Each structure stands twice: as structure tokens, then as C-alpha cells.
Amino acid sequence: MSLRVTVWYNEYIQLRPSELPKLEDRIVATKTVDRPDLRLVEPSDTSEDGIAETAAAEAEGYLLYLDPRDLLGHRGNLRRDLGDLSELQASIAAEGVLQALTVIPESGDRFRVVAGHRRTAAASAALDAGEWNPAIAPTVPCLVRPDLAERPAEQIFAMLGENDHRTDLTVSERSKGYAQLAAFDIAPSEIARRASIKVEHVKAAIRLDVMDDEVKAKADAGHLTFDDILALEEFEDDPEVQQRIVAAAGTSWGVRHEMATERRKRNDKVRVAELKAELETAGVREVAKPKGWPYESKAVGVARLADAGGKPLDVEAVKTAEGFAAFIDTVGSPEVVYVCLDPEGMGYKRPNSSSYRSPEERKRASEKREADEQRMVALNVAASVRRKFIRETWGSAKAAKELLEEATRAAATYPYDLAARNTQDFLAVMAGGSLDNLATARLERLQRMLVCRWIAGQEEHITDVGRMGYEFTKRPHQAIAWFDRLTAKGYGLSPAEAQLYEKLTDRVAQIAVEAQQRAVAERDAQLRKAAEVGGGDSVVFMLWPVPDGDVVNWQLVAGDGEHIDELPGDDVAQVQQWAAGVLEKMEFEATQWVEKHDEASSTTYYVIEFEEDDGYADEPDAVDGETDGAGGEPDASLSEPV
């Protein structure tokens, strides 16, 4: 058969014969093209076969060029905001619409847009503004899909598929589409298959669609993921908790930290209720946690008490007796602590660790302890989130290779970093299985285990620092470096972790000051020792290294402790040459520095000693004009010291 193809402003469009009369005035040329593989069905063909073929052709869709201003918007358009159309409008005004819109026929020869609302709006705006290129017909290509007209669910699928390949729909817009599909009784699994996403994400999106605008805004901003929305279902029975979690969604990590906190609170609440029931069943009196517990309180733990003979008390024997009680300690995992309310009154011996302090001291100590307990709880919660991130980042054998060099260096220089006494469970998860049978493991397995042990060691160090207090750690730089590595990979510190990081940074500065003070004290001690050895007829000078952060300052000091000058540097020979120059100006000729080593401080330093008359000698000069009888030589009597 032959197709009639029209040339319309140098563009080819393919029309159904029934549409040609409508556009006759716009056609500038015609052309016949042989297509023996096609058969055109005329509308006048009213035979049963002709009607069937016409319906089949329309069902497959056909192309029309239409004025974009005549098109109707879709009532269920997923986009709430078309966004900035300025660049798209300029492009369409110059080149026209190159990709056909998807439309469905409406009554009265009208058409409704299914996919292409932004292009429609941009094209309409360009025409209204008079910006349209006159060399291009003032129409847009439209793929007419009669097959979609009575299938609203397929229209939504078309919107989702079309928009995902252009300016992305927001999370809430996509959720609206999935919710509309679900309203047509389409299963989440089918939606997921058609949209090529996870079933869980479809379920999360449907849930998001019924949430308030604040939650949707957080999701659109990237602060809530579909996984986060699914996790919120855990707190569905407590809207206030959900609201607190969403309010914390400054980042997705903020949500996870807040969820972990709320989950811990919920689990602790359940566990406390169980322990209370157990105490009631056992007939044990329950009291509030004693004020000042455990060291400044009047009450003392039964496990720490002894009778007058020094024999420890049996908890099971006394827990229900008069004067004994129990409270539930919620620092860490909730647990029952049995106490004696008045040890002295009952004739028991209080442990030596108990001490009395003034009310003001007790108040300060109690406040600090409560703050430390809250900090530990927050750090424990943060650790659960942090270790999940670590598993996701380095939990595979391939990913673990990134840290192999660092772990190997630690094994060679500081093997204590590989200790993981209290993180064995975490180590097993990181290692991907049992820690046994390493004797016969292949090299790749051993390398992964080395990295996992190093990671577990870093985590154990963080835990120890948090438990004992940053002020006691001698290696704050190790914890700082680990936090820096995590954040560089995309981890977000919790408020408790950020506070610990700040305190560790302060500790680094404090250690540097302490090192300087020790170095000066050790230097002065060596000066005193050198003066004693040298006696009173010699002058001693010393070059002593004093650390100042990453720099070493070499101090030149005299035997009496006088600080003469200092020079930073790592080249000892250069420093000695500089010191010799300083001494030369003082009329001392430095020839040989003697290397010394202080065992107590593991410090290498340098000493030079001069006899009293080698410098600083205050010899009187001859009096001008006074000579002996030989002529020219000063009178010897004038050279004698007074």
C-alpha cells in the first residue's frame, strides 16, 4: 500500500487519512511513500473486518501535531510543582518539542496530557510570549493513546515511567503515584515489578502518602529515605515518638540516631516492667535509686558489704529481709541492684571505697555522674548506629582491603590496637563468620581478619575512652583519627560523639602542654646534675629538646637555668652549629658537644662544658700609659686582682 506523508515546515508527520481534512490548510507539500508491509483502513470501511482493524490501529496509538494551548492537564498529575521552566521554554522556542507527549482522547475533539506536562507548559508559554521559531509549526507532537483512556492505573504507570527519565519526581510525588496505583487494587509486588524498585520501597512510599506535609518535606529534601519511613512503622502506636524522630531529621543519620535512642527507651521500658514484676513476685521491696549512688549514698550494694567478721553477705539470703531493698539501674541495660539501706545501723562493714564529702562536693559529683551516665547511654546508642555503618562500609572482603595497609602497620608498630576483648560479637559479624579455623585459612581470609581485628580494636578504644573519660586517655589522637575516617566515608556523628570528639581535641592540646612541662623539668634536673659534677670552676651549657605539637624546639640554657635562646628543628648538627654561633658571641668557642641520654624521660640531649677562664672571664685591662721600667710592658703589680 502507499502512505500519504505531508511535508510541514520541513518536518515529516504521519497522519491517519481521517485527520487530513482538519490540517489541509497547513500542508505545504505532499508525498507518496510505498509501504507494502502496511494496510491502511479507511473510516468508510464499515465491514466487520474493517471496524476491527480500525480499532486495533487506534489501540496501538497514532501521532498528531496539536496546539499545546488546547491540551488539557491530567487530573491526577503527580507533579505538584512544574519547577523552573525557563531553560526548557527557551529550548522548545528554538527547536520545538522533539519528544512526543503522551495524550488520551477526550470528548469534543479534545486531548488530555498523560505524560509531558512540563513540555506542554513550556511550549504554551513560548507561544504566548511570541518566542516561537517561525520556521517551525506552532504545534507539538502528541502520541495519542486511546488504549489508556479507560485505564487510569496504566496512565499513572505511564507518568511514573516517563518522568523518571526526565526531571525526577520528588519522593512525595512518586509516593502519590504508587498510592493511586494501590487504590486500583494493584499489589505492591506488581507496582515494584513495573517500576523496577524494591517492594519494600513501594510499601514505604504508600505509607508516606498518608503522612503529614512535614514528613513529606523531609523526604523530598533527602533527610528521610524509604528505609527510614519503613522503620518509622515500629513507632506507629506512638505518634509523639514519631514526631520527635522526624523533627530530628536534619540528615538521614539524625533520623537513625534518634530511632536508636527511642528504640532503646522502648526496650528499656519493657525490660524495667519485667524486672519490677520479678521483684514483686519475689517479695523484694523496691526503692528509687539512692541519691549519690554508689559511692556517696547511705545505702550500699549488698554485694559490697561484709558482716562484722568480714564475711561477704549472701544476696539471696538477705534480699527480702528488713532493712534491705532493691532498685532498677537503667545505666546500660536495666538490671536489679540489691542494697542495704543503713549498713552501720545494722552492724555491717562499709567498703573502703565509700567516702564522705561536703554537701556541695556531693552535689557537684552527683551532677557530674548523672551527666556521665547520660553521656554513656548516648554513646552506647550511637555505637549501635556507628557499627551498622561500619558493617555496610567495610563488611565485605573486597571493601576491607581499603584498610589493609593501615591494619598491617598497626600490627607491626602497635599490636595492642588489634585487641578486641569486649567486641568479639562485632568482630564475628565484621569477619563474616566464625573466628575459628584460622590456622588453615587462605591469605585473603587472614587479611580480612586482620582488618576486622583492627576495626574492632578502634571501636573498643572508643568505648574505653567513653567509659573511663577522655581526660584519662593517653592516645586521644587514635580516637580522633578513627572518627575522622568514619566521617570522611559519609558517617554523621551523633551529638554525644561530636562532644566526645571536641573533648578529645582538647586532650591532645593538654598532653602537648604536659609534655612541655615535663621536658623543662627534666632539663632543669639535668642542669643541676651537670653543675654538681662539673664543680664550681666550670660553665655548663645544654641543648635540650622541648616538644611543641609536631615541632621540637631546641633550647640553649646555661647551667644556672638561664634560658639563652631556642631554635626549632630536626637536624641536630644544624642546631649545634646555631648554638655554637650563639656561644661565640658570648666569647665561648664551642668545639665538641657531648651527647647524653636521660633514661627516665628517654630524652637525648647535648652538653658542652667550659673552664671558668674560657669565657665570661672578667680580666682587668692594663692601665693606659703605665708601664714598667723596661718600657712598653704594664706594671705587673697592676695586673694582680684586687
Side-chain angles (χ1 to χ4, degrees), residues 253 256 385 387-396 399 430:
W253 283 109
R256 296 172 200 177
V385 179
R387 290 176 183 179
K388 182 176 185 295
F389 171 81
I390 292 171
R391 292 195 302 272
E392 293 172 351
T393 305
W394 295 297
S396 67
M430 283 295 298

Side-chain angles (χ1 to χ4, degrees), residues 93 112 184 235 248 497 623:
R112 190 174 298 280
F184 290 114
F235 307 97
E497 290 169 322
V623 179

Side-chain angles (χ1 to χ4, degrees), residues 286-301:
E286 183 188 352
V287 296
K289 185 175 182 177
K291 186 176 181 180
W293 178 265
Y295 300 111
E296 291 90 28
S297 62
K298 184 177 182 180
V300 177

Side-chain angles (χ1 to χ4, degrees), residues 160-293:
L160 289 168
E162 196 268 350
N163 281 297
D164 277 347
H165 294 288
R166 292 185 174 84
T167 299
D168 285 344
L169 294 170
T170 65
V171 174
S172 59
E173 289 171 344
R174 190 176 294 110
S175 298
K176 177 182 176 182
Y178 297 153
Q180 290 183 14
L181 292 171
F184 290 114
D185 294 329
I186 299 178
S189 58
E190 176 62 16
I191 298 174
R193 185 186 68 80
R194 295 282 297 274
S196 300
I197 64 171
K198 296 179 179 179
V199 176
E200 293 77 10
H201 287 181
V202 172
K203 294 177 180 178
I206 294 172
R207 287 181 53 78
L208 177 63
D209 189 60
V210 299
M211 293 181 172
D212 59 36
D213 291 341
E214 180 185 2
V215 180
K216 293 177 181 177
K218 297 277 188 179
D220 289 342
H223 299 161
L224 275 176
T225 65
F226 280 143
D227 289 332
D228 295 333
I229 293 166
L230 280 176
L232 279 173
E233 187 175 1
E234 177 183 347
F235 307 97
E236 191 172 23
D237 59 336
D238 196 335
E240 290 186 4
V241 171
Q242 280 192 336
Q243 189 174 2
R244 284 200 299 270
I245 293 173
V246 172
T251 65
S252 184
W253 283 109
V255 172
R256 296 172 200 177
H257 284 303
E258 193 65 24
M259 280 188 183
T261 299
E262 295 295 343
R263 187 176 297 114
R264 179 255 173 191
K265 290 179 181 178
R266 173 171 291 196
N267 294 340
D268 282 2
K269 186 177 180 180
V270 172
R271 181 55 181 157
V272 166
E274 294 173 350
L275 294 176
K276 283 179 175 288
E278 292 174 6
L279 290 176
E280 184 177 358
T281 301
V284 177
R285 176 188 173 190
E286 183 188 352
V287 296
K289 185 175 182 177
K291 186 176 181 180
W293 178 265

Side-chain angles (χ1 to χ4, degrees), residues 505-523:
T505 305
D506 294 341
R507 176 61 177 152
V508 170
Q510 179 187 356
I511 289 176
V513 171
E514 293 171 351
Q516 282 187 329
Q517 293 172 343
R518 285 195 303 272
V520 171
E522 291 157 358
R523 178 205 69 191

Side-chain angles (χ1 to χ4, degrees), residues 368-631:
K368 181 181 183 302
R369 183 175 56 258
E370 290 175 1
D372 288 344
E373 290 176 355
Q374 293 174 4
R375 175 175 55 81
M376 273 307 302
V377 169
L379 286 174
N380 288 338
V381 172
S384 65
V385 179
R386 185 176 68 247
R387 290 176 183 179
K388 182 176 185 295
F389 171 81
I390 292 171
R391 292 195 302 272
E392 293 172 351
T393 305
W394 295 297
S396 67
K398 181 179 180 181
K401 291 181 179 179
E402 177 185 338
L403 302 178
L404 180 58
E405 181 179 345
E406 189 75 17
T408 305
R409 183 177 294 107
T413 59
Y414 201 77
Y416 185 78
D417 277 352
L418 304 182
R421 300 177 303 278
N422 301 316
T423 51
Q424 288 293 308
D425 292 342
F426 174 62
L427 173 60
V429 173
M430 283 295 298
S434 173
L435 306 180
D436 301 329
N437 302 322
L438 292 179
T440 58
R442 297 173 62 86
L443 177 60
E444 292 80 1
R445 174 66 176 163
L446 294 174
Q447 289 175 336
R448 181 181 182 185
M449 177 56 66
L450 176 63
V451 171
C452 292
R453 284 194 177 279
W454 180 75
I455 290 175
Q458 302 305 304
E459 280 296 293
E460 185 150 315
H461 180 64
I462 293 290
T463 301
D464 290 343
V465 169
R467 184 180 66 254
M468 295 185 298
Y470 71 93
E471 61 269 31
F472 298 109
T473 180
K474 295 182 179 179
R475 304 179 67 210
H477 58 279
Q478 178 182 345
I480 290 174
W482 183 236
F483 277 139
D484 286 343
R485 186 182 293 275
L486 293 176
T487 54
K489 296 295 287 187
Y491 177 68
L493 298 181
S494 72
E497 290 169 322
Q499 183 186 43
L500 179 59
Y501 185 95
E502 181 180 351
K503 296 295 186 183
L504 288 168
T505 305
D506 294 341
R507 176 61 177 152
V508 170
Q510 179 187 356
I511 289 176
V513 171
E514 293 171 351
Q516 282 187 329
Q517 293 172 343
R518 285 195 303 272
V520 171
E522 291 157 358
R523 178 205 69 191
D524 293 344
Q526 290 301 321
L527 280 171
R528 290 191 296 271
K529 185 184 297 183
E532 293 172 359
V533 173
D537 296 331
S538 64
V539 179
V540 176
F541 294 94
M542 180 184 296
L543 275 174
W544 186 274
V546 176
D548 185 9
D550 296 332
V551 179
V552 175
N553 283 329
W554 287 89
Q555 294 187 352
L556 177 61
V557 291
D560 59 0
E562 178 189 357
H563 179 276
I564 299 173
D565 205 347
E566 66 180 55
L567 178 73
D570 296 323
D571 188 331
V572 174
Q574 184 178 1
V575 172
Q576 290 178 350
Q577 184 179 359
W578 160 81
V582 175
L583 293 176
E584 184 177 355
K585 294 178 181 179
M586 300 168 59
E587 300 183 2
F588 287 95
E589 185 178 354
T591 57
Q592 184 68 40
W593 291 90
V594 178
E595 180 177 313
K596 302 280 188 178
H597 188 75
D598 179 31
E599 296 292 342
S601 62
S602 298
T603 302
T604 299
Y605 62 100
Y606 301 89
V607 174
I608 193 166
E609 185 175 351
F610 301 92
E611 294 301 323
E612 184 68 33
D613 57 0
D614 288 343
Y616 278 145
D618 199 8
E619 298 178 356
D621 296 330
V623 179
D624 290 343
E626 296 189 17
T627 62
D628 61 11

